[in-house]
Amino acid sequence: TDKFSVDSKLLERLMKDNLAEDPRVSVIMPVYNDEAFVGEALNYVLAQTESNFEIIVCDDASTDDSALIVGQLASTDRRVKTLRNHVNRGVCFTRDRAISVARGQWIALLDGDDCYHPQRLQKMLQFAEMQDADMVADGFLLIDENGKRSGEEFVPCKQAGKKVNVRAYVENGMPSGRRFNFGYLKPMIRRDFVARHALSYHPDAWCGQDFVFYFECLLHDADFRLMKGSYYYYRKYPRPRTVESKIKRTRRHQENNRFMLQRAKTRPDLVILLKKRDRFFNYSVRYENLMTAVKAMNLAGVLQGWKGGREYWGFCLRMLARRLINRVKSRLRAFSPSHRWSDVGTTQDLHARLPF
């Protein structure tokens, strides 16, 4: 049997659509219990100034009304194509399944609770063709569950056209208390590049799966270029995390890193960097335990947590400095509603201009 099965109705639609010109972009959208946001996410794609695209939505056995909402939109616009997993398979399988039926020249990624600016595909296509790249990525703007801006923006580069090589990519992803790294980006990737190298998501990646997938692309010498603008709206809302959950998440990222080590074993320079990254994940766990001891005024725990060499001490000092900087920035944003957002506007601004 095939790795992915396509339902008969979708297969019929794909065969009919094959008679027409292939779309320029396939927007890949995994969905799981996103009923609060998936309609908005799809409407922003359907409002794109670049109209030659398809949206492939793969529902990962949602237990809410996500599939119903997607189905209603699909019935009114042929560009929306739907898949549904019979059981929950996780985001990696779900993205791969959607990519397996994509027909676009480019693959664009979108999460079920995020949004595109209406000019995103047009801007990215123009940039990609100008750069003749395999992958292109813009920055992103943070919004909350109500679509309200947070004042935070991640711009991956200061100079348009900057090329990301695999070493710089790994260095950018070092655990350091940094709020974001290149793994948070949602690039547009040439579909023939993915097919030519038989690339897929790491099936065991519970979190950080995008970071691993982009690493695989770069290992295969993808020409990855960064844009200056931010046309992706990344929804981030409060999710209380315990020390235990943070440590669990860190360990899962470390497992991903060890998978990457195996993939890079013929590259001694990358092996050195990834082994350092592995140590830094261990330091992250020790740092969380150290901070817990400090808050509890547990002197024995503090002394135990501070044991280590110069590399570990330097890591802890950088983490403390980064945490302080993040808190100061957060306070400044809270008291500065006029904080620079972006020239592409906010979701509230866009609602007034869009036909839904």
Side-chain angles (χ1 to χ4, degrees):
T1 59
D2 293 334
K3 181 180 178 183
F4 306 112
S5 60
V6 182
D7 62 62
S8 57
K9 289 184 179 179
L10 175 64
L11 185 59
E12 183 181 348
R13 285 185 63 184
L14 290 172
M15 290 175 68
K16 288 181 178 178
D17 288 345
N18 273 331
L19 298 175
E21 181 184 358
D22 285 345
R24 297 186 74 190
V25 184
S26 294
V27 178
I28 303 300
M29 189 174 174
V31 170
Y32 179 69
N33 288 351
D34 290 316
E35 65 177 359
F37 309 113
V38 68
E40 180 184 38
L42 283 171
N43 277 318
Y44 276 117
V45 181
L46 293 173
Q48 292 291 299
T49 53
E50 168 58 59
S51 61
N52 187 9
F53 62 83
E54 64 178 355
I55 313 171
I56 303 174
V57 184
C58 189
D59 185 277
D60 195 18
S62 293
T63 57
D64 63 4
D65 285 336
S66 295
L68 177 63
I69 295 168
V70 173
Q72 289 172 343
L73 282 167
S75 68
T76 63
D77 196 313
R78 291 186 60 82
R79 293 175 297 179
V80 182
K81 300 174 174 63
T82 61
L83 296 165
R84 183 171 172 81
N85 296 337
H86 297 301
V87 295
N88 184 265
R89 300 295 300 268
V91 69
C92 294
F93 175 93
T94 303
R95 279 210 186 104
D96 281 340
R97 187 179 179 200
I99 291 171
S100 72
V101 299
R103 299 183 303 115
Q105 299 167 26
W106 293 88
I107 290 169
L109 305 176
L110 174 64
D111 288 340
D113 57 350
D114 295 338
C115 299
Y116 283 176
H117 182 274
Q119 291 182 311
R120 185 174 194 257
L121 294 182
Q122 178 187 350
K123 295 284 188 181
M124 294 188 80
L125 283 168
Q126 289 172 348
F127 179 77
E129 289 170 359
M130 180 177 65
Q131 297 290 328
D132 193 26
D134 299 309
M135 299 172 65
V136 294
D138 57 344
F140 55 81
L141 309 164
L142 266 69
I143 56 175
D144 66 13
E145 63 270 31
N146 300 312
K148 183 180 178 182
R149 67 186 191 183
S150 72
E152 212 170 348
E153 178 180 7
F154 178 65
V155 181
C157 69
K158 294 181 180 179
Q159 181 180 0
K162 179 180 178 181
K163 184 175 181 178
V164 180
N165 62 48
V166 66
R167 282 182 55 87
Y169 180 81
V170 173
E171 288 169 349
N172 177 267
M174 287 286 179
S176 64
R178 183 186 287 115
R179 288 270 286 162
F180 305 109
N181 60 47
F182 290 157
Y184 282 81
L185 300 176
K186 296 296 182 187
M188 197 168 67
I189 309 169
R190 287 190 189 273
R191 184 169 64 90
D192 64 355
F193 179 87
V194 174
R196 188 165 65 252
H197 297 290
L199 298 174
S200 62
Y201 276 82
H202 175 37
D204 297 327
W206 174 75
C207 60
Q209 56 276 344
D210 287 330
F211 191 88
V212 180
F213 183 68
Y214 307 160
F215 174 78
E216 289 272 13
C217 291
L218 289 167
L219 267 186
H220 287 86
D221 297 320
D223 189 329
F224 186 9
R225 303 282 176 163
L226 301 177
M227 298 172 60
K228 283 184 68 175
S230 298
Y231 298 91
Y232 190 97
Y233 293 98
Y234 175 62
R235 200 179 303 270
K236 194 171 179 65
Y237 28 92
R239 291 178 180 171
R241 286 181 181 167
T242 63
V243 172
E244 290 75 17
S245 68
K246 288 180 181 178
I247 290 175
K248 181 180 179 181
R249 194 174 184 85
T250 298
R251 291 304 190 197
R252 296 305 291 263
H253 282 296
Q254 189 173 37
E255 289 172 12
N256 291 348
N257 190 70
R258 290 174 180 175
F259 170 80
M260 291 161 63
L261 256 171
Q262 289 298 313
R263 301 292 293 159
K265 58 187 178 183
T266 60
R267 289 281 304 270
D269 57 331
L270 293 180
V271 169
I272 291 171
L273 277 177
L274 290 167
K275 285 184 175 179
K276 179 180 179 180
R277 192 167 183 257
D278 188 79
R279 292 196 304 273
F280 277 24
F281 282 122
N282 288 330
Y283 295 163
S284 293
V285 171
R286 292 186 59 191
Y287 174 81
E288 289 297 338
N289 289 328
L290 173 62
M291 290 298 100
T292 300
V294 169
K295 290 175 183 177
M297 294 186 288
N298 178 352
L299 181 59
V302 171
L303 292 175
Q304 179 65 29
W306 193 243
K307 288 182 180 179
R310 292 173 61 184
E311 185 179 68
Y312 171 65
W313 296 333
F315 175 87
C316 288
L317 290 173
R318 285 192 298 274
M319 290 287 282
L320 286 167
R322 183 72 65 175
R323 178 172 290 188
L324 178 60
I325 290 169
N326 288 341
R327 285 189 177 182
V328 170
K329 286 183 176 180
S330 179
R331 294 289 178 87
L332 289 174
R333 283 192 297 270
F335 289 105
S336 304
S338 61
H339 182 83
R340 177 183 177 273
W341 182 231
S342 171
D343 60 356
V344 300
T346 68
T347 53
Q348 297 97 318
D349 299 331
L350 296 175
H351 276 306
R353 301 201 299 271
L354 296 182
F356 51 83

